Amino acid sequence: MKILITGGAGFIGANFIHYWAKQYPQDQIINVDKLTYAGNLENLKELDGSDNYKFYKTDIADFAAINKVIKDEKPDAIVNFAAESHVDRSILGPDEFVKTNIEGTYNLLKSARENGNIRFHHVSTDEVYGSLEMDDPAFNEKTPYDPRSPYSASKAASDHLVMAYFHTFDLPVTISNCSNNYGPYQFPEKLIPLFIANLTDDKKVPLYGDGMNVRDWLYVEDHCRAIDLVLKKGRLGETYCVGGAAERNNREITYKILELMGKGEEMIEFIEDRKGHDRRYAIDFSKIKSELGWEPEVDFDEGMKATIEWYKKNEQWWRNVMTGDYQKYFEENYSKRD
Ligand code: NAD
Ligand code: DAU
């Protein structure tokens, strides 16, 4: 099989490429990434030079460019991870979110249709369903869309386009809407890696508002397994909600990181809340469990220990991100080859 992955130099995309290369060593992997600030080819350096792996520095918001890659490569399936993914950045500047998440997804759908109705899986988020109160039931596939940030609105729009291509043009699509991922290679602007990096340097950790917002935490490898199953066995035109069965508020996450890193509560700094901050996300994953036999396998405490260990062992990786050195990787290793 030839699989084309967009956004493969980012956090989940890179984990997915490692997962796929290990699981299906005979498959061809095509990675298409614009290399925005979030794209880091150091995440994939083990695959450099492998016959089964190819990288294109391409913007999915540029139809001619992405269509050429798809036309030339003729993949059997496309898995779309490429997106602007950070809520705080979408509040500071929504333009790129509309361009990449909406127009970019549209271009991929259009190209998948024009090049032989290619199987298309779209990676989406639980944020499209809005914000829950503490006693509300968890989101499921029938929960009405109610996005509240420019990020989640752009992801919701992309989900609608994906389903429109299924109903109108019979494009063979699936969507997965998952909760907060954590694990190796996550960019240190997101809660868990940011707090690990700050504490390593004895800097305080900034908790927004009262720190009582709740997220459901999913170990990234469990997410990769879920996408694999949906891609191979999911029903076309269906959405699958994917969760970690680990609802925690941000204070609990912070205390866990402090405990595992041997630091005290004095390292917490409560700061001004995020605008429009969603209070709670929670996922009911019974559909993917009953139809495809998937459930999360990594226990939250174990996943957190493994994550902190990874960031300790790979300190140079996140220090290169902090200094910007990671952006030299393409220049130094790829541009010379072409
Ligand atoms: P990320 O920000 O770490 O990576 C995004 C990748 O997409 C980067 O490599 C970036 O260079 C690339 N990209 C951005 N714009 C592009 C463009 N125009 N063309 C080509 N490539 C482009 O994101 P992530 O956390 O790995 O998330 C991946 C996907 O999963 C996103 O679609 C996100 O909405 C979704 N998601 C993430 C989470 C999470 O907790 N991280 C949870 C649910 C869903
Ligand atoms: O739910 C899935 C979503 O999870 C994905 O779709 C997004 O791409 C991903 O970024 C993530 O969004 P969140 O906004 O939930 O993740 P973030 O790590 O930014 O924040 C997690 C929680 O921690 C949230 O309640 C805000 C809070 N927070 C975050 C940061 C960065 C803080 O209190 N302090 C911080 O410095």
Side-chain angles (χ1 to χ4, degrees):
M1 172 174 180
K2 189 189 267 191
I3 185 168
L4 187 147
I5 288 153
T6 70
F11 161 48
I12 309 176
N15 277 282
F16 187 76
I17 289 179
H18 284 299
Y19 165 91
W20 203 271
K22 199 167 148 207
Q23 205 71 11
Y24 307 108
Q26 71 288 2
D27 283 2
Q28 292 289 320
I29 300 172
I30 311 297
N31 178 17
V32 173
D33 199 297
K34 180 183 174 182
L35 298 183
T36 66
Y37 80 93
N40 184 349
L41 284 178
E42 287 186 3
N43 299 353
L44 297 161
K45 58 176 189 265
E46 293 85 352
L47 289 165
D48 275 349
S50 146
D51 290 343
N52 296 357
Y53 171 77
K54 203 162 168 187
F55 173 70
Y56 287 90
K57 185 175 188 298
T58 305
D59 181 352
I60 63 165
D62 176 344
F63 180 75
I66 185 63
N67 191 47
K68 181 170 178 354
V69 175
I70 291 173
K71 209 171 175 174
D72 290 350
E73 290 293 344
K74 297 183 184 53
D76 301 300
I78 297 172
V79 181
N80 182 28
F81 292 93
E84 287 294 333
S85 69
H86 193 40
V87 175
D88 292 327
R89 286 181 190 256
S90 84
I91 297 166
L92 292 172
D95 290 6
E96 288 304 315
F97 288 73
V98 171
K99 221 176 267 169
T100 289
N101 300 1
I102 306 179
E103 283 180 42
T105 303
Y106 169 68
N107 287 339
L108 291 170
L109 292 163
K110 190 169 143 187
S111 179
R113 179 172 175 238
E114 285 180 8
N115 289 288
N117 254 21
I118 299 168
R119 175 77 175 87
F120 190 87
H121 179 74
H122 182 60
V123 179
S124 191
T125 170
D126 58 3
E127 300 201 13
V128 298
Y129 299 120
S131 179
L132 295 168
E133 297 299 331
M134 291 307 153
D135 51 358
D136 282 339
F139 302 132
N140 66 33
E141 294 78 3
K142 295 197 167 68
T143 305
Y145 275 39
D146 185 21
R148 293 158 29 105
S149 73
Y151 164 68
S152 52
S154 67
K155 292 296 290 186
S158 66
D159 291 7
H160 292 320
L161 283 166
V162 173
M163 283 307 168
Y165 264 69
F166 172 74
H167 292 293
T168 310
F169 303 120
D170 287 328
L171 192 74
V173 307
T174 43
I175 300 180
S176 49
N177 293 77
C178 79
S179 60
N180 287 59
N181 285 219
Y182 68 103
Y185 303 114
Q186 188 167 29
F187 198 87
E189 64 183 348
K190 307 280 165 65
L191 180 76
I192 291 176
L194 175 72
F195 281 19
I196 297 172
N198 275 13
L199 290 171
T200 306
D201 286 344
D202 275 325
K203 282 195 214 145
K204 292 201 173 197
V205 294
L207 258 186
Y208 297 164
D210 62 5
M212 295 302 284
N213 302 68
V214 175
R215 300 290 183 265
D216 169 27
W217 294 93
L218 171 68
Y219 195 66
V220 64
E221 213 174 287
D222 276 335
H223 184 197
C224 294
R225 267 193 313 110
I227 296 170
D228 180 1
L229 274 171
V230 174
L231 183 67
K232 295 215 158 142
K233 297 186 179 148
R235 284 185 294 135
L236 298 181
E238 292 289 321
T239 289
Y240 292 87
C241 282
V242 182
E247 272 190 63
R248 300 283 188 283
N249 67 47
N250 294 335
R251 287 190 194 210
E252 291 173 300
I253 298 294
T254 307
Y255 291 140
K256 173 57 70 186
I257 300 173
L258 289 171
E259 176 202 317
L260 290 170
M261 295 189 66
K263 305 278 178 179
E265 272 184 54
E266 71 284 356
M267 296 308 285
I268 300 177
E269 184 179 16
F270 285 93
I271 65 164
E272 192 189 331
D273 209 355
R274 173 184 280 174
K275 285 190 176 58
H277 197 172
D278 289 340
R279 195 63 173 164
R280 173 177 165 241
Y281 308 137
I283 287 268
D284 169 359
F285 57 84
S286 44
K287 176 174 170 181
I288 188 169
K289 186 175 177 184
S290 64
E291 285 190 17
L292 305 178
W294 179 91
E295 58 186 325
E297 283 176 1
V298 179
D299 161 77
F300 178 73
D301 286 352
E302 291 309 311
M304 281 298 289
K305 264 191 218 151
T307 302
I308 289 177
E309 275 312 306
W310 189 89
Y311 280 86
K312 273 191 189 159
K313 224 172 114 192
N314 294 278
E315 190 169 326
Q316 200 52 50
W317 176 89
W318 60 262
R319 293 220 181 268
N320 284 352
V321 173
M322 300 294 202
T323 58
D325 277 356
Y326 71 111
Q327 286 172 319
K328 294 182 190 153
Y329 193 90
F330 177 76
E331 233 12 76
E332 289 173 358
N333 294 278
Y334 276 82
S335 50
K336 283 181 223 138
R337 285 183 210 169
D338 295 332

